[in-house]
Amino acid sequence: RGGLGRREEDEPLPGCCTLSTAGVTMGKVAEKAFYRFLVLFFNCLLTFGSYFCFDIPSVLQDQFQGNLTCANSTATNGTGECVEGLGMTPQQYNLLYAIYAWTNAVVVIMAGFLIDKLGNRFGVFLFSFLTVLGSTIFALGSHFKGTVYLLPLMLTGRLLFGSGNGSLTIVQNRITAFWFKGKELALAFGLTLAFSRLGSVLNFLLTQRVEAQYGIQWTLWGGTFLCVLGFLAAIMVSTLDKVGMKQLGLDGAIQEESKKVRVQDLGKLSLRYWLLVLTIMFFYNGIFPFIADASKFIQDKYSDYSQKEAAYIAGAVYDSSLVLSAVVGILIDYVGLRGVFAVGCAALTLPVFALLAFTFVPPLVSTIWLGVTYSFAAASMWPSIPLVVPQATLGTAMGLATSVQMIGIGISNLIVGQMLGTKSSDAKIPLWRWQHMMIFMLANTLACIVTAVGLNIVDQRQGGTLNKSTKRSQATQDPPAPSSDTAPLLEEDGPHPEPINS
């Protein structure tokens, strides 16, 4: 190849055309909308299985914390039944989520930098493999119940799984941002979230049934199988991404930009970026720790629900997100107002935890409500990051944002574990302990509102980029360019090194 977009002249193929002519024809394929949506489809499948696996402990919390054997046991769960399980304490159970979060916090910073330096294809293979390895060790650990090997094996599995899944999400977001920036960006992020949450929804719908029929060990191995399917999707998206960038003549340019990425670039990230990161962290501090314990909370406070029913109700957070993500993405692409939505969804989340803590309103109302605000938060907050950082350092910025998010979630999981007590949780956890947990969720949501308001003030002073629609943002930020579908991609990797939209 020569310069950007120029191809060598090759010998004609017998009875056909020249390779250069064929390259021009093929190049049109990658420029079409259907090609980037094909990339998006396989990109969405990357995390379907891993999101299914992530919350298996939440659905099977009774089994994880149940008796090693029910013979001669007097301990029961909230429904008065003895549940045979792995014998974990509430602290040990919450440690499964905490170590996932802590691992993410450490690994994703380095992962984001490596992705920026070595490319999407390196990241997608490495991190999808780690999710397979981690889920395999986690499932293997369940075969050692009643031994000293149970907890170390399962924690090791969650550690490796967290290293892969959090970093895989960064690659996924980076691929999405590359192919959709300046186009259907929020829609693409919304669809990615919807596919991931489809895995979560199916987990809450199916896992308890599968466990009842086949046992906890085979249930965990089923999650591992879904992670293997994600690895196959990684092969497809890697191939499509490589072929597409070569057809567009961007592969060499992006590699050149990647070579310029330095650790020192972190110091150049704007105040908007950091306020956005804190807004994301505080919002998710109230979501994931709640979902991790939601099934048991519903059984303990509302005694009329079985474990299966409680899992369905807890999973309504993801049900709402699955249904709304794409629609919300289209809406935000059209109207913009990302910063306004960030404030609004945090403010509207406050009543959810208040209802759960101090009333006996049916919990399904609260979980659906939380799912709606979560959908708007995810579609407005994460797609804002590519608008305030340059494409060449997007992986690093995403990694750092995920790291801060996971530090917050990890601390929250540990705090929640302490609030709920250290004894075996076969019996009901007192209501006052659950109320303390909900007040902690409220405090995080209030902090989210404060940082989101600050984000809007700073953004307004710097041109109001976050609150513009995608088309208006592109029109005001970018110079006139060719009307082809490749224009946004070419602009990102041109000779201008300054941050995009910042």
Side-chain angles (χ1 to χ4, degrees):
R1 297 183 184 276
L4 182 63
R6 196 175 80 246
R7 295 175 171 79
E8 299 174 358
E9 292 298 324
D10 299 276
E11 292 297 324
L13 291 172
C16 188
C17 53
T18 64
L19 282 177
S20 59
T21 304
V24 173
T25 304
M26 289 179 63
K28 294 180 181 179
V29 176
E31 293 173 1
K32 301 298 183 181
F34 87 86
Y35 191 90
R36 65 175 177 269
F37 277 98
L38 183 63
V39 173
L40 179 65
F41 173 73
F42 286 104
N43 196 37
C44 289
L45 292 179
L46 284 177
T47 52
F48 171 81
S50 58
Y51 271 67
F52 187 102
C53 285
F54 172 72
D55 268 324
I56 286 179
S58 177
V59 178
L60 301 181
Q61 187 172 0
D62 278 353
Q63 283 73 18
F64 275 80
Q65 299 180 182
N67 300 279
L68 292 174
T69 175
C70 282
N72 302 318
S73 174
T74 57
T76 62
N77 66 359
T79 62
E81 301 172 350
C82 174
V83 177
E84 187 172 338
L86 301 180
M88 291 184 176
T89 65
Q91 267 192 326
Q92 291 172 335
Y93 167 80
N94 279 283
L95 192 57
L96 296 176
Y97 281 92
I99 197 168
Y100 175 96
W102 284 109
T103 303
N104 268 278
V106 174
V107 171
V108 293
I109 298 178
M110 183 179 297
F113 182 75
L114 286 175
I115 293 165
D116 281 336
K117 293 291 286 184
L118 301 177
N120 296 334
R121 294 183 287 281
F122 164 81
V124 80
F125 280 116
L126 174 62
F127 300 127
S128 59
F129 172 74
L130 285 177
T131 62
V132 174
L133 180 61
S135 59
T136 298
I137 295 175
F138 188 71
L140 182 64
S142 66
H143 292 272
F144 290 86
K145 72 174 186 175
T147 72
V148 294
Y149 303 108
L150 170 73
L151 190 61
L153 276 173
M154 299 197 87
L155 289 178
T156 300
R158 290 289 278 190
L159 185 149
L160 292 172
F161 179 76
S163 300
N165 195 38
S167 305
L168 188 60
T169 302
I170 296 171
V171 186
Q172 187 181 53
N173 290 340
R174 197 174 187 269
I175 293 171
T176 301
F178 176 81
W179 285 96
F180 286 87
K181 191 172 193 307
K183 296 191 175 295
E184 310 90 349
L185 184 61
L187 170 61
F189 269 88
L191 289 172
T192 303
L193 176 64
F195 266 79
S196 299
R197 288 312 171 202
L198 178 61
S200 302
V201 167
L202 292 178
N203 167 50
F204 278 93
L205 290 176
L206 302 177
T207 295
Q208 202 276 333
R209 296 181 184 178
V210 174
E211 191 280 332
Q213 186 167 354
Y214 298 105
I216 191 169
Q217 286 89 357
W218 282 111
T219 302
L220 296 179
W221 284 114
T224 300
F225 172 75
L226 292 178
C227 288
V228 172
L229 295 182
F231 184 78
L232 298 178
I235 296 173
M236 288 299 302
V237 75
S238 176
T239 302
L240 290 168
D241 186 58
K242 180 178 181 179
V243 170
M245 284 201 297
K246 283 188 175 181
Q247 290 179 2
L248 295 172
L250 297 175
D251 204 22
I254 289 176
Q255 288 177 6
E256 282 299 314
E257 288 298 313
S258 296
K259 291 177 182 178
K260 301 175 185 177
V261 177
R262 302 172 301 169
V263 176
Q264 294 92 319
D265 292 337
L266 292 176
K268 299 178 182 178
L269 294 172
S270 65
L271 177 60
R272 273 191 305 182
Y273 168 79
W274 289 111
L275 287 171
L276 181 58
V277 167
L278 290 175
T279 301
I280 291 171
M281 182 196 74
F282 283 123
F283 186 84
Y284 279 77
N285 281 358
I287 297 288
F288 287 165
F290 166 72
I291 293 174
D293 289 285
S295 181
K296 179 153 186 63
F297 163 73
I298 292 168
Q299 290 182 85
D300 285 357
K301 182 175 180 179
Y302 309 90
S303 56
D304 294 336
Y305 297 102
S306 66
Q307 182 187 9
K308 181 167 68 175
E309 292 169 337
Y312 288 167
I313 293 171
V317 176
Y318 295 146
D319 295 341
S320 303
S321 175
L322 173 64
V323 172
L324 293 175
S325 291
V327 176
V328 171
I330 293 172
L331 174 65
I332 292 176
D333 275 331
Y334 182 74
V335 302
L337 302 178
R338 296 170 185 85
V340 174
F341 277 118
V343 175
C345 64
L348 291 174
T349 300
L350 286 173
V352 173
F353 297 118
L355 288 174
L356 291 169
F358 304 114
T359 76
F360 282 86
V361 172
L364 184 61
V365 173
S366 297
T367 53
I368 291 177
W369 189 339
L370 187 62
V372 172
T373 59
Y374 171 51
S375 300
F376 277 90
S380 59
M381 295 178 187
W382 285 105
S384 296
I385 295 179
L387 301 179
V388 298
V389 299
Q391 174 70 29
T393 58
L394 180 57
T396 305
M398 284 285 190
L400 190 57
T402 305
S403 176
V404 174
Q405 176 199 22
M406 289 301 170
I407 288 173
I409 292 174
I411 293 173
S412 297
N413 282 127
L414 292 177
I415 292 173
V416 167
Q418 289 290 333
M419 287 179 170
L420 297 182
T422 59
K423 297 181 180 179
S424 178
S425 182
D426 295 317
K428 277 188 176 182
I429 294 174
L431 180 59
W432 64 268
R433 289 186 178 272
W434 289 116
Q435 288 175 331
H436 287 180
M437 172 184 161
M438 297 304 166
I439 292 171
F440 176 68
M441 303 291 108
L442 278 169
N444 276 282
T445 307
L446 285 170
C448 178
I449 294 173
V450 172
T451 56
V453 169
L455 172 64
N456 277 271
I457 293 172
V458 173
D459 181 63
Q460 186 61 36
R461 290 175 178 173
Q462 297 183 9
T465 302
L466 296 181
N467 286 320
K468 294 175 182 176
S469 68
T470 300
K471 291 182 179 179
R472 285 191 294 129
S473 180
Q474 281 296 116
T476 57
Q477 290 292 326
D478 298 328
S483 58
S484 71
D485 280 358
T486 62
L489 308 181
L490 292 166
E491 288 161 9
E492 289 303 321
D493 295 277
H496 307 290
E498 65 270 19
I500 298 162
N501 293 336
S502 64

